Amino acid sequence: MCPDQDSWHTLHAHLEYGTLGGMSMTQAAPTSYRNFINGQWVDAAASGTLENRNPANQDDVVGVLPRSTPEDVDAAVAAARAAFGRWRLVPAPRRAELLYRAAEILSERKEDYARTMTREMGKILDETRGDVQEAIDMSYLMAGEGRRQYGQTVPSELREKFAMSIRQPIGVCGMITAWNFPIAVPSWKILPALVCGNTVVFKPAEEAPHSAVNFVQALHDAGLPPGVLNLVLGDGPGTGAPLVSHPDVNVISFTGSTETGRLVNQACASSFKKVHLEMGGKNVILVMDDADLELAVDGALWGGFGTSGQRCTAASRVVVHQKLHDAFVDAFVARTRQLRVGDGLEASTQMGPSVSEAQLSRVVDYVKIGQAEGATLAVGGNRLTSGAFARGFFHEPTIFTKVTPSMRIAREEIFGPVVSVLSCGSLDEAIATANDVAYGLSASIYTRDINKAFTAMRDVYTGLFYVNAPTIGAEVHLPFGGTKATGNGHREAGIAALDVFSEWKSIYVDFSGRLQRAQIDTVQI
Ligand code: NAD
């Protein structure tokens, strides 16, 4: 999941915080994106369009997407419903062969897809390459699952009876995703759904439609039959909401904010639709007094400012033992000053822009909130507006110190390059602070004491936990997701993803030729 951490180290050690060197690629003409329904790229009925602009340079229009309507959603769901009857009967190992081919196609196109992704949503090239790589890894993992999808065979309590369970596909799955991992996150949902034998209608984020189009194109080129994977482009209320409430959609898998996830959950409740939610986070790094200081600073930098802080797993809080606090803050602030902010397409850039004006305004607002709450602004705190920054959504990487657990900047998801440093006097206090938020996605501890590491591993209530590493760095073959307001009990990625997109059927075969009654006709020993 992580881009190459070594290059991150080397760069931030050498580079000065500076100005942009101008656009590093020739601006291509805007693309008009279309929906993909029943194996064809088609125009939407659409009630207007949205623009996809480069967040590093608003003069660069990457493309134009339709605001698809409920009518478009109907067409996509109908295609998926019709294809389900055939696709569910394709043997899983054959379904998996197409996913294996998709992995190879994504590998061939990795650089191209990464560059497009950086241009449309801003994260640096190392990270967008990592995003595509994650989808490649997921494709290979799910290709393998075509020959597994293990069920159980268990002994029956009756003599001439056979007992087993199998996974069955559920039907049409609606996938709604955020923009920050525009190929990786869709792959966590779409590939397990497909290998289980479901069909899909995909509604990506309006901020990153080009990457969604690229991902769908790769799967189409791998040979998916018409209707198995469909794409509808548009915004949340106009396109996402009709997909969520569509009576012919059996599963909704959603990644986005907790506020929207709550609406999605409510919309699914009355029909008992299966709903899988991956939502916000307020993740934490705990730095104990015996930690390797330099390693902890490396982790805080990467965890806090990677993807400009726009990761659900971003380390937006660092809780440092008071004995190490001042030394940690000095080093963390010094290294943050050296980070080079700029256009993610330039090789020297270490932190790109926020994705949109709205996202940047949120960052600016939280900086004001932190100051009003009495936290100390140790570095950063300003929007970058001069020179080459003028046409983008850039903000300085920002650290607040003297933050207390009750402050809003320590409790609410900011989703930008703002890190709050808190102080603690013991491991118990650090764990209590870690758990004292509404979210439960990711946490980590820096310590050389194995007892402390295992205690925190046990007692911090999150879905992901790291020892001597930051809060980011998940790999596709383990479950991904969070507790509390981050999720609703499901997990994606790993084999756990199969549980979202399949239902268990328990099967009993009686080969006695007579009525055998379970629990009543007990076998005598
Ligand atoms: P968002 O909730 O605004 O949008 C997410 C998606 O939902 C978009 O595709 C949007 O069009 C759609 N949507 C919006 N309103 C809708 C509605 N009423 N009905 C149906 N769909 C609707 O989130 P965002 O701001 O784009 O993304 C950032 C959020 O996503 C952060 O909170 C971040 O933590 C979270 N996120 C979580 C994970 C995770 O795995 N837990 C991963 C990435 C991002």
Side-chain angles (χ1 to χ4, degrees), residues 176-181 185 188 203-207 234-237 239-242 244 254-261 263-264 277-281 310-313 359 362 413 415 439 441 480-482 486 492:
I176 298 178
T177 53
W179 44 268
N180 62 339
F181 281 85
V185 166
W188 294 357
K203 204 304 277 177
E206 47 274 46
E207 294 89 347
D235 64 17
T239 312
V244 169
F254 167 85
T255 296
S257 63
T258 298
E259 297 73 38
T260 309
L263 294 177
V264 169
L277 305 169
E278 293 293 341
M279 303 174 285
Q310 301 171 116
R311 282 185 185 233
C312 51
T313 51
Q359 199 62 48
R362 189 179 164 92
E413 185 181 46
F415 223 54
Y439 302 102
L441 184 52
F480 183 95
T486 298
E492 58 191 354

